[in-house]
């Protein structure tokens, strides 16, 4: 991908799971660039293949083992030519399985968790020296952020920035507190510096990431602890930063400061992913969510009072142990009451080591499937209605990727809807005004309104870099 002659080896990274893994993969590439690794688009022939994995549901973890089977064949093909390929497993499956991974998949050379990838150079040199499978599962997150190099790779017009990691909530179904460890918030100054660098190389939009991002409590310049609302307020002052988003939030941690930021800051996009998981108080308690269904309804009311056009998204789990028809009906009622612009819904998947996996009354698979279908059809109808209501409106769209059709660019509306427009390549990475002409189940189509200029361009050096 890069023409840099100092990059002599190739690296292929495949990313599973959440946006934090996407961010981590980019940072792994940053760590490896000084060692001469350039990123490749496919694993064939690569010197190093990294699978950055997700352990959230059973299926996500299984995918990793089947991918490792395919990669073993590529490693063997290389070995037949007298060349080597190193295989690394990173992320949450690596953290959860550790040594076990090397036993189940002996073709793997390195196993390291989400808090250990700053140690990649050391792990690689030991693996290259033939010291056998290397496993690194350390937890001190401070070390990681302190020892990572500055980001060397651009993420384009819309960039991710991890501000918080880990989770102390311990929802009874969830592996995250075990794979990502305790909550840790990066200091404000580090975040501001990274944000400035991102904007300088062309980001118009930043998405602040954290497993529980609205529990952010980083130390501010004078030592006091800052919440997420205050951090966003400060970021909104950065010249050139047109849009701010954050994900994922917990309903319990939605404080007044954050709601006020939604009220006051035009660059804080009117969209919030606020997982609720279920609508029955009995199930929410068994999930150890620490909020009831009405707490969620009230949180939504407060948000809508502050920012009436805010679009809401959520996550749902159906078939949690003990969920009966009445509980499930409460979930449907909550969805009907709130009205979501979009949402993700999953069948409960028992995860080893989590308290819910040991609960009696596991719900049979066909019941989960039936409930999921019912919930998804309600959510799909709400999403379709939300998209339909956008037709005829003018929306600001950040054109951030190329469409499948020639001459088409795709961007996001303020409410995160994908918008397809016919637009010249020169508008890639620009914020443009679009009139929405049609709504589809998962996207919108629109017509460019401001022709050639774009409402806002990226910082000037980006234009040069993009052409280079
Ligand atoms: N930190 C975020 C998201 C965590 S994982 C939050 O607290 O909301 C993303 C989503 O995966 C969760 O919101 C939940 O809906 C789903 N999920 C997590 N564990 C699961 C499990 N064991 N089975 C099914 N879905 C699960
Ligand atoms: Fe998992 Fe709950 Fe933490 Fe979200 S808040 S990461 S669902 S434990
Ligand atoms: Fe998956 Fe780990 Fe993210 S389990 S959802 S990759 S935090």
């Amino acid at each position: 991908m890069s023409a840099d002659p100092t990059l002599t080896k190739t690296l292929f990274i495949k990313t599973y799971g959440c946006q934090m893994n996407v961010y981590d993969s980019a940072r792994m590439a940053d760590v490896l660039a000084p060692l001469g690794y350039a990123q490749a688009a496919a694993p064939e022939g690569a010197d190093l293949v990294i699978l950055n994995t997700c352990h959230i549901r059973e299926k996500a973890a299984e995918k990793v083992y089947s991918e490792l089977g395919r990669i073993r064949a590529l490693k063997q093909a290389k070995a037949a030519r007298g060349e080597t390929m190193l295989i690394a497993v990173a992320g949450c499956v690596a953290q959860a399985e550790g040594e076990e991974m090397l036993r189940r998949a002996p073709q793997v050379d390195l196993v390291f968790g989400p808090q250990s990838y700053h140690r990649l150079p050391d792990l690689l040199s030991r693996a290259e020296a033939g010291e056998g499978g290397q496993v690194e599962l350390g937890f001190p997150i401070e070390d990681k952020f302190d020892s990572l190099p500055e980001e060397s790779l651009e993420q384009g017009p819309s960039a991710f920035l991890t501000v918080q990691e880990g989770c102390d909530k311990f929802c009874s179904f969830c592996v995250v507190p075990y794979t990502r460890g305790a909550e840790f918030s990066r200091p404000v100054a580090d975040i501001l510096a990274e944000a400035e660098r991102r904007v300088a190389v062309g980001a118009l939009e930043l998405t602040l990431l954290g497993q529980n991002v609205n529990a952010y409590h980083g130390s501010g310049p004078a030592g006091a602890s800052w919440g997420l609302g205050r951090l966003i307020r400060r970021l909104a002052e950065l010249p050139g930063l047109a849009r701010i988003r954050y994900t994922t939030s917990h309903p319990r941690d939605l404080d007044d400061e954050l709601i006020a930021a939604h009220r006051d800051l035009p660059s804080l996009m009117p969209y919030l992913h606020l997982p609720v998981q279920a609508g029955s108080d009995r199930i929410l308690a068994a999930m150890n969510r620490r909020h009831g269904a009405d707490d969620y309804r009230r949180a939504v009311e407060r948000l809508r009072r502050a920012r009436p056009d805010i679009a809401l998204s959520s996550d749902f789990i159906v078939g949690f142990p003990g969920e009966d028809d009445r509980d499930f009906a409460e979930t449907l009622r909550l969805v009907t009451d709130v009205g979501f612009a979009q949402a993700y819904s999953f069948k409960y998947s028992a995860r080893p080591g989590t308290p819910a996996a040991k609960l009696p009354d596991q719900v049979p698979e066909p019941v989960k499937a039936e409930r999921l279908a019912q919930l998804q059809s309600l959510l799909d109808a709400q999403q379709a209605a939300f998209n339909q209501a956008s037709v005829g409106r003018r929306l600001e769209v950040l054109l951030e990727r190329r469409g499948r059709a020639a001459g088409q660019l795709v961007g996001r509306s303020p409410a995160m809807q994908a918008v397809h427009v016919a637009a010249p390549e020169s508008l890639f990475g620009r914020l443009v005004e679009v009139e929405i002409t049609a709504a589809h189940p998962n996207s919108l189509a629109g017509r460019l309104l401001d022709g050639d200029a774009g409402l806002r361009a990226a910082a000037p050096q980006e234009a040069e870099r993009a052409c280079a």
Side-chain angles (χ1 to χ4, degrees), residues 257-294:
E257 203 179 28
L258 188 55
I259 291 182
H262 276 287
R263 182 193 61 208
D264 301 338
L265 305 173
S267 60
L268 181 56
M269 290 292 100
Y271 171 87
L272 180 60
H273 182 63
L274 191 65
V276 62
Q277 314 298 355
S280 146
D281 286 339
R282 203 174 67 82
I283 295 300
L284 288 168
M287 286 176 163
N288 191 31
R289 285 290 293 179
R290 309 171 198 207
H291 62 79
D294 282 345

Side-chain angles (χ1 to χ4, degrees), residues 157 196-204 239-241 429-430 456-466:
E196 277 169 11
R197 291 193 296 268
R198 283 282 166 223
V199 172
V201 297
L204 282 178
L241 182 58
R430 305 282 176 104
R456 251 169 292 184
Q461 59 268 47
E462 166 61 7
E464 285 159 34
R465 277 160 164 260

Side-chain angles (χ1 to χ4, degrees), residues 167-171 173-177 211-212 250 277 289:
C167 181
D168 295 344
K169 291 282 188 293
F170 289 92
C171 299
F173 51 81
C174 183
V175 293
V176 171
Q211 262 86 28
N212 200 356
H250 192 285
Q277 314 298 355
R289 285 290 293 179

Side-chain angles (χ1 to χ4, degrees), residues 56-57 173-176 211-212 248-250 275 277 289 315-317 346-351:
I56 201 82
R57 284 169 292 274
F173 51 81
C174 183
V175 293
V176 171
Q211 262 86 28
N212 200 356
T248 293
S249 297
H250 192 285
Q277 314 298 355
R289 285 290 293 179
D315 290 342
F316 295 90
I317 295 178
F346 313 98
K347 288 189 269 186
Y348 170 71
S349 165
R351 308 308 293 127

